[in-house]
Structures are given as structure tokens and as C-alpha cells.
Amino acid sequence: MLEVSQVRKEYPAPDGPLTILSGVSFSFERGDAVAIMGPSGAGKSTLLYILGGLEQPTSGTVVLDGRNPYELSEKELAAFRNQAIGFIFQDHCLLPQCSVLENVLVPTLVSTNRAGGVIYMERARQLLDQVGLGDRLNHRPAELSGGEKQRVALARALICKPLLLLCDEPTGNLDQASADVVAALLLELHQRQETILVVVTHSAELASRFPARYELDHANLHAAGA
Amino acid sequence: MRISTLLARNLAWYWRTNLAVLLGVATAAGVLGGALLVGDSVRTSLRDLVLARLGNTDYVVSRNGFLREDLAAPLGSACPMIAIDGMVAHESSGRRALHVQIYGVDQRFWKFQAEPGAPPSDHQILLSAALESELGAKSGDSILIRVEKPSAIPLESLHGRKEDVGKTIRLTLSGGAFREFSLEPQQGDIRAAFVPLASLQRELDRFGKVNTILAAGGPVGQILKDHYSLDDLGIKLRVLEQQHALSLETDSALIPDALAERAIATAQSLGLRTEPVLTYLANSIRANGREIPYSVVTALDSPPAPAQRNGITLNQWAARELNAKPGDTVALDYYLWKSDGRLHTMSATFRLAQVVPLAGEAADRDFAPEYPGITESNSLHDWDPPFPLDLSRVRPIDEQYWKQYRTTPKAFIPLARGQQLWGTRFGRLTSIRIFPPSDVYAGALRVALDPAQMGLMVLPVRARALEAAHGATDFGEYFVYFSFFLMVSALLLTGLFFKLGVEQRMREIGVLRALGFSIPKIRFLFLLEGAVLAVAGAVVGLAGALAYGAFILFGLRTWWVDAVGTRLLALHPSIAAMGTGAAAGIVTGLCTIAWTLRSLQPVTPRGLLVGERTPVSGKRSLIIGSIAGVLALGLLAAARLRALDQTAGFFGAGTLLLIAALCLESAWLKSRSFASIGGLITLGLRSATYRPGRSILCIAQIACATFLIVSVDAFRRDADPAGTGGFPLMAESVLPLIHDPNTAAGREALNIPPLTGVEFVSFRLRPGDDASCLNLYQPRNPRIMAPPAEFLRTAGSPWPLLESQAVDGAIPAIADANSMTYVLHLKLGETFVLNGTRFRIVAALQDSLFQSELLISEKNFLRLFPDVEGYRFFLLKVSPQHAQEVSGVLEQALSDYGFDVQPAEARLASFHKVENTYLSTFRSLGALGLILGTVGLAAILLRNALERRRELALLRAVGYRPAHLAAMVLAENVLLLLLGLATGTVCALLAIAPAVALRGGRLPALSLSLLLAAVLATGVGASLAATSAALRSPLLAALRSE
């Protein structure tokens, strides 16, 4: 379960602190798929990064599976991000120097799970098969299309079987066809893995695929349409 | 997938940046390894040189005098020769070479040294290549050599022949090259002449004698001790049949105290009785208004000498001539040659104790030693003594006495009184009588004597040469210092490029953090990459070390030859040096890389992902800059008020000011108000704030290099008249001057024409190793000089310290400060041991003429080196306008002595030339480092341009032409260059202000300006190239991708 309580985020500015998020609270269960929408600069990505342990809130708490990542040490937080969270960025953020398979396996290099490289290798191949890139294992990101890169990023995000899957505009840079493919895969894999899926998007079309939709507006989060 | 796989991928993908990092480490490792290689190479070259010149010689047996040639035989592989310092002249051209080593050799030398060809024979001479070239001589030319005539009788004794101390020999130059030979370590050209041994022996009247034996291997010392004879020490044992005694005498006619002590002890150990004797020549014996000229007087401890200290015994003949009876006052007049180079007439009075008949012990003519020119003469009128003789005083009755009694003494005095009047540093006895004559005495004395103590030395020349070849100067260390900035520049570039690489991969770092990589893990990954690059760079640096070392040695043989005085230095690769350079390159490279990774911490993962940069505040820089500035002002004030040493104060202030300036510039760059935009150029200047850290790094690198290069000029030495002590001229002679040229008698004896207004200060000189920076070899046996006592009293501090008495008995010595510190590696007050004697440095002279030697008092000099006679070094006080004329006159008049005059300032300039060459080297290498810094500047410029290509693309879209963009980029770069140059120059000028003031405000403005202009030009050139590269990338395509 993901519980967010009264999260507030401010940034220092020359004219006084700039409030991005103000008293955001919600909770999601495993299997929930949520889309968060809002205008540009509303703080959607900021909220995502806070959920992902990448940005400390000014105040408030975030608890995932009974653990508040911001109460962990640096080492524990890194391990938490590695095992509990999968992240997909708008521009995939693949390492250009690594192959498709290697990119998917990058998180396993620091995994505390001693299950072993063979298991991860098998899982990576499996995930790449599931995203339709089973025959592109040795290709470099430069040889892939935008959609294909995002699919690799999806596989990478799921390699360590995370509880929480966070996506920041996953189809923002894609054409409609690719976006559809990625969106479908996203939801399919989320269901298979039973993750908590949180997607930040300004695409109404993408958001419409999600059973739960929220809007972030004027630093507050509320159910879409409310 | 393993970490190593990711590592390999990263290294390959970012190969451009990684290559730059690798080259940076390679440069640092190469420079350090190369500098150390230079040290090893110089040491090895010096060692090879000295060993090649020694040939097969391991030991040298020598004596200040001559020994039997046959002594070489039992030493096995040995070669007798004569080695003597002299002058050589090319007769037809008149060209002269002074201080040439002249060797009398024969086939044995050729065989010993395994030389091909044949030695010179008859009247032939062979010259070393350098000497031949110096004289412009060719085969068949007539060559004159002039050497000091050996004299067993000390020149500075009454009977020493002073009028002609040299011997000139004419020889013909023979053809054929000869390998260089030298017994002394020296890096310069060998100036040597080889003449036939037999010819030299004949000319010097030393048949069958040599003064040097070369030996290879073996226990030379023991063999020598087993085979030397008393004759080799100049000791004679004469059987006196009539007296039933042995008489121990020496070639010098004086028995040194050490020998006397040992001789008497040996006799006593054999149960023999001894009688020490001192015989002297009195000019007159006077009493009762009468006088007897030129009489031998003997001092004894037994009859017929009286027991009373003030008593005198006359023989009957003398008493009759003087009409003297016991109780009368008798006066002796006699000559005494004193250490001031003058013949003094002295007198002593006695009371007549007794008159003895001319018989028995009182008629013993053997009390007197043999004096050439006197004892063998048949009459007083035939005497040819080395002192004035007034033959008009000689009466027929005196001649009659001489004819009948020869050297029989006319008077006897107590030994102690005689030694008080006539004792010299050479000895206080003329003979020792041993009773009865013993067959075993000679053998016993030979065993009891230590040949080394008696002057028959065995010198381990090969071992000494190897020690000396370590060098007085650690060139490795020096070139590490000189190359310091080059290394720092290379390391800064390494860090800069690595930092650029890390900044380039910030997003990737953000992704890794998002994927669960902790900061330490990421740091470890980058460090691992850095380690691989550092190791690879160090390996490449090995080749760089060889190249850099070769370059430096080439420089030392050519542009910087004045620092070393030889072109015979070669590169000798050494694993230790290169390994150290590589290891240091790895360590420093890794440290630099680790230092750049500290910038990873402050930015959040989110910040990394979105390309956010840590907002930088200039507050800290402002605070540090202000504190440093205040401290700088404080130091300045303290230095001005002389509360602090001026040089240290100004230098400290300059350095603090540099730090303050850089901090304030950093704060200025970080401030929002930097460069209000009023046009194209100011728009470009504002770009310097894009990455203020990078900008300030560039400014700092250039400023530090400029500071070092400008301020090093503070140590440049120009000729400072104070170093000459007010003496415009100085001179050295090959042959010693025995007479005092300040006296009329001395000038007459030396054939110097009247010279008004010229004053000589004559120094005693014991030849040895040059202790100045002109000598690359470590001086093991430095030159020692002694000024006259009068000079110590009039010259002022610190000279009187030479006459102080140390509680521990150490001999006080004065040295030049530079020689003391950098060549002899001693400190003020430190003691050191030389040939078994302890010395203490009691004072150090600043920038003096005496950089090649140590100075002690004349009293100590005569006690330590009694056999070193005469004066060979001179300071001349003369009015500057007559200096040149006086030089010419003296060199002409004293040409037989090899008298060489030079302006004192020229001597100082020769020392300064070495120091100034080192400074030029430092400056050149520092300038290279500076140029390397401008490469870094260009790299930053290119990096900034690439990172800001969207911004530049936007400007193109709104109408800016490429020329406009180039002007903006150049403006930014020129700002950084000028800030760096200006900051470094201003701070350095402040730092060297006192030194410049001391020189009357003179700075090498032209060379400095040219150097800084070259740096500016290089920097601008590099920037233009970087700008051109940056603008060539498709800017509009970058804009379109937004």
C-alpha cells in the first residue's frame, strides 16, 4: 500500500518560497492504476519524484509498504529505490553505451537480492519478449525508435519486480501509434506484476485508459472531474 | 551483466573525454618520470665520465714531494708517473693555457690504461683534444710547458730557492688522438698534456723519482706499508763514524714534529739515546763591539750547549774574534722568512756561559744539514744562498775558518731557545742523532711510521669518484621543481576533463540514482573508470617520460648548457625513475579525479535528471577573499615596518593577494550583477557566469602560472658590486708567489714594474674541488683559502670569526651562503670533517667571490697544510679606470707564474650565469605549463559552446551571424585570459617589489612582456580554433529538436 499524507513541497525563490504541492494526501493499493493530470508546471513530475524517493518533500509523509523512504539512510534509500520502485521517464533515459539487454539489467548490478545473475538474465529476456523486443537484445538505443526505447525503459523498470511503478509522461515524446503500444504494454505488465501504477500525463487520451484519474491544480490533488 | 561490463561500455562510449583524461595523466606522469630520469641520467653521465677518465685506476699513491719510481713494482698492476699542475703555451701564436694537468708518462702508463699507440718519446708532447683546440696547435708545433720546480727545501724557509720557482720545457707536439684522462672528477673538457717521464724527471732533476703511482685493485695500502722505504718519505739516515751515531735528516733539511716524535720514540723503544739538533745560520755574532759574519749556530739539549735558557757557548775561535769572556752579552743577528712573504732581520741576545775548545763535540761539522749553494762551496765568496749576502763583511780569517772547519758551529745555544727563535711550521729540528748507530733502527722506524701521516697517501680515487658522481645538485629534484607547474597544469587539465565528463553524464547519474545506485556506488564506478584511465595514462606516460627526459637533456646540452658546463650528458633510462613517475601519475591522477567527484553530492536525483545545477552563492568566496585581502594588507604593513623580513612579507602578501583576487573574482562571476548587458561584447562577457566554477578554474590556472613565472625573476641575479668587496680585480697564479708584491723588495724579486695605487691582498690556496655551482660533482675535498691576518682585522665582520677558538677545537671556516647550502649541504654552525680535521662554518657570505672554496685563518692554514707554500689567489685594489691597464701589466710581468687577472664582477657573473640559467629553465617550463593551461581554457570554451548550442541556435534564429557569435565567445575567453594574466602579474609584481627595488627598479620588462604576450596569443589562438569548432555543429538542428 502507498500512503501519502499532507505532502508539501516548496522551492526557494528570490521573491519568497514557491509552493508546488500543498497538503497532498492519498493512498493506493497494490493493483491500482492511477493517472495524474494537470497543466504544465503544476507539479506533477515533482509529486512523482517525491513518490519515487528522488525528491524530499518539504513536509508530509510518504509510506510505501510500511516504509517511509525519507526516514531511511542513503544506502537504504538506494536499495529501496532499486527493489521497491520502477521509474519510466519521458525520454526513456537509456544508457547509450549499453545494449538493450544490458540496459534492462543495469538495476540488477546493485540489487541486494542475491538470487543471482542467471535469474535476472532470464527475467530480462522474458520482459523484453513481453514488450516485443526479444529479437533486439544486442541492439544499442541509437538503433531503436522512440517507442522501442520506451519499451526497453518499461522492461528495465520492472526487472526487480517493484511494488510501485512510476511513469513521467511515458508517451509524451511518442507518436500516436507508439504511444498506444506503450500504453497498452504498460497496463498489461502492471496487471501481470500487480504493481501500484502511477502515471503522470497531460494526455487525456492516455489518462482515459486508467480507472482512477486525479488532477493536480494549484498545488492540490483532487479526483478528476471533482 | 557485471559492473565490469558497464565500466567497459562507459570507457569506450566516452572515449573522447577519456582520452583527454588519459593524456592529462600521461603528461603528469611523463613529466615527473622525465624529471627524475634527468636526475638519474645526469648522475649516470657524471659517473660514466669520471670512470672513463680514470681508466683502470682504482688508487693513487701520491706524496707532496717525490718518491722512488720502483715503489710501483710491488703494487702489481701499477704505473709510476709525474702529475703536476702547470701552464702550456703555443710558442708560435703565444696562446697560453693555465691550470693544465701535465703528466710525465712512459710505456707503463700506456699499458696500464690499455691505450693503443705509443707514448710520447724524447721531446714529444701529446695534448688532450680540448687543449689542442684551445691553443690552436697542430702536430709538429713547438709547445712550451712550465711547471713548478720541485724543491725539497721549503720555499718559505730561509734556504728555500724563491727566485725562480718554475721550469720551462720546450717540446714538439706529436700527432694522434688521446682518450681523456683525469684523476679528478670534472665535467668540463680535459686540459692535459703528456710528456715523456724520463724527460720530465731530467728537467726537474728527479731521476728515478715520481710523485704519483696509479694502481689497480689489490690491498694497495698494505703493500705500500710493506714496501715503502724511508727514502720515499724523504728521510735519510746517515752514519756518523766519528761521532759513533746515526743522524736522522730529511730532504727538506727540517724534521717535521710528527716525524721527530716518532723517531725519538722508536729510538727509545730500542734503548737508544737521542740528541735532537737545530742548526741555523746567523748573519752576525756580535759582542763587545765586534762581529763575526755568516756563522753556523747549533741548538742542543746537551753540551757544549749551555743549560741556561739565555746562555750561549762560543768556541774558542769565535770567543777570540769577539774578545768575549763568560758573562759578556752576545747578540745573534739572523734572517727569518716569515709567513707574510718577507725576509725579516731579527736579533736575539744571550749571556756567554762558556768558551769551549774547537775539539770533540764542539768541532762537529755534521751538526749542519746540507744546504745547496752553501755547504758544498769552497769559500764564503762562492756561496749562492737564496737570501742577500754582503760579501764585503767577509774577512780573510772568516774564509780561513770556512776552509778549515766548514759548517762547524761557532756557537751553541739551548735547543728550546733555538726552537723559539728559528722553529717553523716545517719543523723545529734539522737532525736527530741516535746513539749508538743501530742496524735495526731503520727497520724499526719504518714499521713505526704511518706513511699516510708522513704524507705518502693512498687515495681511493675510484671510490671517491663514484661518491662525487652522485652530484652536489640533485638534478632530479631540481627538475621536479622546475616541472612542477607543468605537472600541476596537466593534473588540472586531467581534473577539468574528468569533471567535464562527469557533468556531461549528470543525467545518466540521475538515472542510475533512480535505479537504486547509491552515491558511494556511483562514485566508486567513476573512480574505477578513473583508475583505469590513470593506469593507462601512466603507462603511456612511460614513453612520455623518456621523451621529456630526452628533451630536458637536449636543453641542458644546448640552450641551458651554462647551468651544467658540459655537453656530455646522455639519457640513461632508469626503471626506478620511470616507475616512480608512473606511480605518482596514478596516485595524483586518481586524487584529482576523486576530488572532482565531490561535486556529485549536492544535486538531488531529480535535479540530475532534469539537468538542474546547484545554485552557487558567491558569499563564501567573498568572505574568504576579504579575509585573505586583509591578511595581505597586514603582511604588507608588517614588511614595510620591517617587523617581518621584507622578501618573505612581500611574497606572502602577494600570494594572499592572489588568493583574495581569485576569490573576489569568483564572487563577482557568481553575482547577478556581473556584466550588465549593453552590447554584443558584454553579452559574451556574461557567458563567463554560465559555469563560474569552470571560469574561475581557468583564471586560477593562468594566474598561478603567471605569478610563478613573473615572481621567479626576483631571484635573477645581476652583478652586484657589493659581492666584490670593493676589489675590482682578482687573480690566480699557477705557480706560487713567495714574495709580498706590496713591498718594494717583493716587487723587485717578482719583476713587477712600479704600480701606484695598487694593493694586493694575497691568499694562500690549497687546491681542491670547486665548491661552487660551477661544479656538478659533489666536492669531497673542497678548495681551501686563507686570507692574511691583516685582512681579517680590517675587512670587518664576519672575518674576525676565523680567529675565534672553539671549545671543541673545530677550525672556524667561512663559506659562501649558496655554496654552503646547495653544494656542500651544510648549515651555519654545522661541523664537518675533512681529511680527519673538524671544521665549523661560523659565517656565510652572501653572493660573494668565494663561492668555490672554504676560507680559514692563515694561522690554521699553515698549521694544517704546512707544505702548501706561497700565495696563489689575490684580490687587487685598484682604481676602476686603471684596472685594465694594471691587468695587462701584471699578467705580462708575472707570466712565468701563470698569473691570470680577471675583473671580480666577471667572476660573480659566471656564478650568476648558472643560477640565472636555472631560473630561465624554470621560467621556460613554467611557460609550457601556462600554455597547457590555455589548452584547458579552449577545451572549456568548446564544452560551454556545445552545451549552449540551443542558446546559440536561438541567437542565429533571431539574426545573429556566425561572426557575432564568434565575437561573443572570444570576448568571454579573452576576459578569462586577461583576468588570469593581470591577476597573476599584479600579485607577482607586489611579491617581488623589494627585490626589484634592490636592483634599482630594474625588471626584465621586455622578456616578461614577450612571454605574457605569447601566452595571450596562444590562448586567443586556441580559443579561435575552439570557437570555430563549436560554431561548425548544426546549431539550427539543435534548435529544431526543442
Side-chain angles (χ1 to χ4, degrees):
Chain A
M1 185 176 181
L2 172 66
E3 279 187 64
V4 174
S5 175
Q6 297 297 316
V7 160
R8 184 180 182 78
K9 182 66 186 177
E10 289 172 354
Y11 288 109
D15 301 328
L18 184 64
T19 304
I20 302 296
L21 299 171
S22 176
V24 170
S25 300
F26 55 83
S27 65
F28 302 132
E29 299 279 347
R30 194 184 258 279
D32 286 350
V34 177
I36 298 176
M37 297 178 62
S40 189
K44 306 185 296 295
S45 298
T46 303
L47 176 61
L48 212 66
Y49 290 144
I50 289 172
L51 295 181
L54 297 174
E55 180 92 54
Q56 178 135 19
T58 307
S59 63
T61 58
V62 174
V63 177
L64 177 66
D65 204 22
R67 284 194 294 170
N68 181 345
Y70 298 106
E71 286 173 358
L72 300 175
S73 67
E74 173 63 35
K75 195 173 166 184
E76 287 165 340
L77 178 58
F80 183 80
R81 281 202 291 267
N82 182 251
Q83 294 294 309
I85 297 169
F87 227 115
I88 302 170
F89 302 97
Q90 181 174 358
D91 58 354
H92 58 78
C93 290
L94 296 181
L95 301 185
Q97 64 268 31
C98 295
S99 66
V100 162
L101 181 61
E102 287 166 352
N103 262 288
V104 171
L105 287 170
V106 164
T108 66
L109 294 177
V110 293
S111 171
T112 52
N113 184 347
R114 299 288 177 205
V118 174
I119 293 176
Y120 278 128
M121 179 68 77
E122 199 44 53
R123 183 167 165 77
R125 287 177 192 278
Q126 213 174 39
L127 282 166
L128 284 167
D129 273 338
Q130 286 170 358
V131 300
L133 292 171
D135 57 346
R136 306 288 293 277
L137 299 184
N138 293 323
H139 286 219
R140 293 278 173 97
E143 294 161 3
L144 305 178
S145 68
E148 287 167 339
K149 287 178 198 169
Q150 205 60 303
R151 282 188 264 161
V152 174
L154 175 56
R156 182 181 66 188
L158 292 170
I159 186 68
C160 291
K161 293 188 180 177
L163 174 57
L164 178 61
L165 189 58
L166 302 171
C167 307
D168 185 6
E169 300 278 7
T171 59
N173 286 353
L174 304 178
D175 57 82
Q176 190 56 53
S178 302
D180 288 341
V181 169
V182 168
L185 277 171
L186 189 59
L187 287 164
E188 180 193 331
L189 289 173
H190 147 71
Q191 274 166 11
R192 271 201 210 170
Q193 307 274 353
E194 289 191 324
T195 61
I196 302 169
L197 174 60
V198 178
V199 169
V200 153
T201 183
H202 63 258
S203 163
E205 200 277 328
L206 176 62
S208 66
R209 291 171 183 249
F210 286 77
R213 290 184 292 281
Y214 288 82
E215 273 186 22
L216 189 59
D217 191 17
H218 293 102
N220 289 299
L221 188 74
H222 51 87
Chain B
M1 174 73 166
R2 282 195 281 267
I3 289 280
S4 56
T5 313
L6 186 58
L7 183 67
R9 296 278 181 264
N10 291 343
L11 284 169
W13 186 258
Y14 299 105
W15 69 271
R16 285 185 189 83
T17 313
N18 290 338
L19 183 63
V21 171
L22 187 153
L23 288 175
V25 174
T27 304
V31 165
L32 178 60
L36 293 174
L37 257 186
V38 168
D40 283 357
S41 295
V42 168
R43 265 193 299 278
T44 307
S45 295
L46 291 180
R47 190 196 61 167
D48 288 352
L49 195 62
V50 75
L51 292 181
R53 287 171 174 179
L54 275 176
N56 291 324
T57 312
D58 294 324
Y59 298 93
V60 162
V61 177
S62 75
R63 185 176 165 240
N64 185 25
F66 280 71
L67 44 106
R68 291 172 304 126
E69 194 177 318
D70 293 340
L71 188 57
L75 294 175
S77 180
C79 155
M81 62 190 290
I82 294 175
I84 198 163
D85 194 34
M87 310 172 259
V88 177
H90 184 224
E91 193 168 19
S92 57
S93 67
R95 281 200 198 154
R96 271 189 337 161
L98 305 177
H99 295 293
V100 173
Q101 272 300 299
I102 293 170
Y103 301 108
V105 295
D106 58 19
Q107 185 57 40
R108 287 173 289 186
F109 177 80
W110 247 245
K111 188 178 166 201
F112 181 82
Q113 295 288 56
E115 278 298 322
S121 61
D122 296 334
H123 295 99
Q124 288 180 333
I125 183 170
L126 267 178
L127 301 178
S128 63
L131 187 56
E132 214 175 287
S133 170
E134 188 179 335
L135 297 173
K138 53 187 189 310
S139 180
D141 285 356
S142 181
I143 303 292
L144 299 171
I145 66 169
R146 186 165 170 81
V147 298
E148 188 178 347
K149 229 185 322 189
S151 168
I153 296 174
L155 294 174
E156 287 187 285
S157 67
L158 178 65
H159 294 276
R161 295 252 157 220
K162 304 166 192 53
E163 63 276 13
D164 184 15
V165 298
K167 175 78 181 176
T168 303
I169 307 167
R170 177 179 282 105
L171 299 148
T172 305
L173 181 59
S174 162
F178 185 75
R179 181 171 56 102
E180 294 191 330
F181 172 75
S182 173
L183 294 172
E184 298 296 330
Q186 53 173 122
Q187 77 266 20
D189 291 330
I190 295 296
R191 295 154 82 246
F194 296 83
V195 303
L197 176 62
S199 301
L200 195 53
Q201 286 171 326
R202 185 180 60 243
E203 295 289 345
L204 299 180
D205 198 23
R206 290 289 181 276
F207 295 98
K209 301 267 186 157
V210 293
N211 67 356
T212 302
I213 298 175
L214 310 181
V220 174
Q222 189 55 50
I223 297 173
L224 192 71
K225 208 163 160 31
D226 293 340
H227 289 91
Y228 87 95
S229 70
L230 294 177
D231 182 44
D232 293 321
L233 303 181
I235 299 171
K236 297 185 287 200
L237 275 176
R238 196 156 57 109
V239 176
L240 304 175
E241 300 284 357
Q242 207 173 342
Q243 296 86 339
H244 195 57
L246 283 177
S247 178
L248 185 146
E249 295 159 9
T250 65
D251 290 344
S252 64
L254 287 164
I255 299 177
D257 290 351
L259 174 58
E261 193 186 309
R262 186 68 23 210
I264 291 170
T266 304
Q268 283 170 354
S269 73
L270 294 173
L272 305 170
R273 184 173 64 87
T274 57
E275 185 174 79
V277 177
L278 175 61
T279 299
Y280 207 75
L281 182 72
N283 295 349
S284 314
I285 304 177
R286 288 181 289 115
N288 301 322
R290 297 184 181 193
E291 68 169 48
I292 308 166
Y294 306 120
S295 308
V296 174
V297 178
T298 292
L300 291 171
D301 262 339
S302 60
Q308 307 94 303
R309 186 177 161 75
N310 205 33
I312 187 168
T313 299
L314 293 175
N315 68 17
Q316 271 180 336
W317 186 94
R320 188 183 65 236
E321 288 300 313
L322 295 172
N323 200 20
K325 55 187 185 307
D328 284 351
T329 298
V330 177
L332 294 181
D333 300 325
Y334 55 92
Y335 282 138
L336 203 59
W337 185 270
K338 289 197 176 174
S339 59
D340 59 3
R342 301 175 199 187
L343 188 66
H344 298 257
T345 303
M346 315 289 287
S347 287
T349 53
F350 301 82
R351 192 152 297 283
L352 182 57
Q354 57 184 335
V355 176
V356 295
L358 242 178
E361 286 167 337
D364 187 348
R365 65 174 67 182
D366 292 316
F367 276 131
E370 276 193 33
Y371 291 116
I374 296 177
T375 44
E376 75 276 12
S377 303
N378 287 325
S379 71
L380 286 170
H381 277 79
D382 287 340
W383 275 19
D384 179 26
F387 45 79
L389 202 62
D390 182 1
L391 290 173
S392 64
R393 295 171 60 218
V394 174
R395 306 160 300 169
I397 197 163
D398 299 313
E399 286 286 10
Q400 205 178 344
Y401 184 95
W402 178 261
K403 202 168 257 179
Q404 191 172 357
Y405 300 108
R406 289 296 169 108
T407 54
T408 304
K410 291 174 186 149
F412 298 87
I413 62 172
L415 181 63
R417 188 81 199 278
Q419 286 180 324
Q420 184 201 3
L421 297 175
W422 306 317
T424 68
R425 69 181 196 261
F426 306 107
R428 297 181 303 152
L429 296 172
T430 49
S431 62
I432 298 174
R433 294 209 170 165
I434 296 128
F435 303 93
S438 163
D439 289 337
V440 300
Y441 180 76
L445 181 62
R446 211 188 68 75
V447 169
L449 289 175
D450 178 1
Q453 269 197 346
M454 296 294 121
L456 183 59
M457 312 280 289
V458 177
L459 303 169
V461 289
R462 183 174 293 271
R464 278 195 183 181
L466 289 171
E467 280 175 20
H470 277 111
T473 308
D474 187 339
F475 270 80
E477 197 183 318
Y478 269 36
F479 275 91
V480 167
Y481 293 148
F482 294 162
S483 309
F484 168 74
F485 202 74
L486 203 50
M487 282 190 293
V488 168
S489 285
L491 287 171
L492 280 174
L493 272 182
T494 301
L496 185 69
F497 282 117
F498 197 83
K499 190 170 160 56
L500 287 178
V502 168
E503 286 173 359
Q504 187 186 6
R505 293 158 67 180
M506 280 306 209
R507 277 213 87 201
E508 179 184 318
I509 293 168
V511 170
L512 291 175
R513 295 240 3 230
L515 295 176
F517 281 67
S518 62
I519 292 175
K521 196 79 184 181
I522 294 171
R523 209 176 263 134
F524 173 71
L525 200 61
F526 275 97
L527 213 52
L528 214 54
E529 274 184 48
V532 171
L533 293 172
V535 169
V539 169
V540 171
L542 291 173
L546 284 169
Y548 186 67
F551 164 72
I552 295 291
L553 283 164
F554 177 77
L556 286 174
R557 289 195 297 267
T558 53
W559 325 296
W560 304 320
V561 69
D562 287 335
V564 294
T566 179
R567 295 179 195 274
L568 299 174
L569 302 175
L571 183 69
H572 291 269
S574 126
I575 293 182
M578 291 163 69
T580 305
I586 293 171
V587 169
T588 50
L590 264 177
C591 289
T592 306
I593 288 163
W595 179 77
T596 62
L597 289 174
R598 38 183 250 303
S599 63
L600 283 181
Q601 185 88 25
V603 187
T604 64
R606 176 188 171 278
L608 290 166
L609 286 162
V610 301
E612 184 185 282
R613 286 183 293 122
T614 320
V616 282
S617 160
K619 209 190 272 185
R620 203 170 82 135
S621 304
L622 197 61
I623 293 170
I624 296 172
S626 305
I627 294 172
V630 167
L631 284 173
L633 286 172
L635 270 179
L636 266 176
R640 283 295 284 165
L641 295 170
R642 299 198 184 266
L644 196 63
D645 172 67
Q646 282 231 311
T647 305
F650 274 81
F651 237 102
T655 309
L656 281 169
L657 202 64
L658 182 67
I659 295 168
L662 289 171
C663 288
L664 294 173
E665 282 160 9
S666 174
W668 181 45
L669 284 172
K670 289 168 187 168
S671 74
R672 284 178 173 261
S673 61
F674 177 85
S676 62
I677 297 168
L680 198 65
I681 299 299
T682 43
L683 182 61
L685 295 181
R686 177 64 77 89
S687 306
T689 66
Y690 168 66
R691 292 272 195 186
R694 290 180 193 171
S695 299
I696 210 64
L697 194 66
C698 283
I699 295 171
Q701 193 170 5
I702 293 168
C704 290
T706 309
F707 180 90
L708 277 166
I709 290 167
V710 172
S711 61
V712 87
D713 246 59
F715 301 101
R716 183 170 289 277
R717 293 222 199 246
D718 297 324
D720 180 4
T724 65
F727 293 92
L729 296 175
M730 50 171 281
E732 269 196 53
S733 64
V734 177
L735 272 51
L737 269 61
I738 306 297
H739 299 88
D740 179 3
N742 286 321
T743 62
R747 282 195 290 278
E748 191 188 326
L750 292 168
N751 237 1
I752 301 175
L755 288 168
T756 48
V758 178
E759 185 193 324
F760 289 75
V761 179
S762 306
F763 287 63
R764 293 185 183 273
L765 165 64
R766 193 212 63 162
D769 301 331
D770 188 340
S772 76
C773 52
L774 297 170
N775 184 11
L776 287 188
Y777 288 92
Q778 172 76 37
R780 313 298 300 172
N781 186 25
R783 260 164 65 118
I784 295 184
M785 290 209 314
E790 181 64 23
F791 180 84
L792 300 187
R793 284 189 279 280
T794 56
S797 177
W799 295 99
L801 289 172
L802 288 182
E803 290 184 317
S804 59
Q805 298 269 11
V807 171
D808 59 358
I811 306 285
I814 289 177
D816 178 86
N818 272 353
S819 299
M820 178 184 77
T821 306
Y822 299 113
V823 182
L824 299 169
H825 304 296
L826 295 169
K827 293 197 224 3
L828 199 57
E830 200 172 325
T831 56
F832 61 98
V833 175
L834 193 60
N835 297 334
T837 306
R838 250 167 85 248
F839 293 81
R840 176 176 283 113
I841 305 288
V842 295
L845 304 171
Q846 290 294 336
D847 195 26
S848 72
L849 288 173
F850 304 112
Q851 297 192 27
S852 297
E853 48 270 330
L854 294 171
L855 297 133
I856 62 175
S857 70
E858 188 172 29
K859 187 174 161 194
N860 284 324
F861 186 98
L862 294 174
R863 186 168 58 81
L864 290 172
F865 315 115
D867 296 332
V868 180
E869 301 189 81
Y871 306 94
R872 292 177 206 250
F873 182 89
F874 308 86
L875 292 179
L876 300 163
K877 203 161 240 174
V878 60
S879 65
Q881 55 265 43
H882 294 124
Q884 200 170 350
E885 183 197 336
V886 165
S887 290
V889 168
L890 287 175
E891 284 191 349
Q892 175 70 31
L894 296 170
S895 61
D896 278 354
Y897 292 87
F899 201 77
D900 180 35
V901 185
Q902 72 171 152
E905 282 190 18
R907 170 75 153 207
L908 275 180
S910 69
F911 296 132
H912 293 162
K913 209 152 96 164
V914 174
E915 295 172 43
N916 290 342
T917 305
Y918 284 140
L919 290 177
S920 294
T921 313
F922 182 81
R923 220 162 63 146
S924 305
L925 295 176
L928 266 180
L930 192 53
I931 288 169
L932 210 60
T934 61
V935 169
L937 180 63
I940 283 178
L941 184 76
L942 183 59
R943 180 82 213 151
N944 286 356
L946 286 172
E947 285 176 4
R948 289 155 49 206
R949 60 187 182 280
R950 281 185 185 163
E951 172 195 323
L952 296 173
L954 174 72
L955 293 174
R956 289 282 301 277
V958 300
Y960 280 60
R961 297 199 305 275
H964 294 142
L965 300 181
M968 280 170 53
V969 169
L970 254 175
E972 177 193 350
N973 194 42
V974 168
L975 171 71
L976 297 181
L977 263 175
L978 287 177
L979 274 177
L981 287 171
T983 306
T985 304
V986 167
C987 296
L989 287 176
L990 177 72
I992 65 172
V996 171
L998 265 172
R999 291 206 299 260
R1002 290 195 314 274
L1003 254 184
L1006 180 65
S1007 65
L1008 267 178
S1009 307
L1010 284 172
L1011 180 68
L1012 297 175
V1015 171
L1016 184 64
T1018 311
V1020 169
S1023 308
L1024 279 170
T1027 307
S1028 161
L1031 294 179
R1032 249 184 283 130
S1033 68
L1035 297 176
L1036 290 179
L1039 188 61
R1040 210 173 285 125
S1041 75
E1042 178 72 10

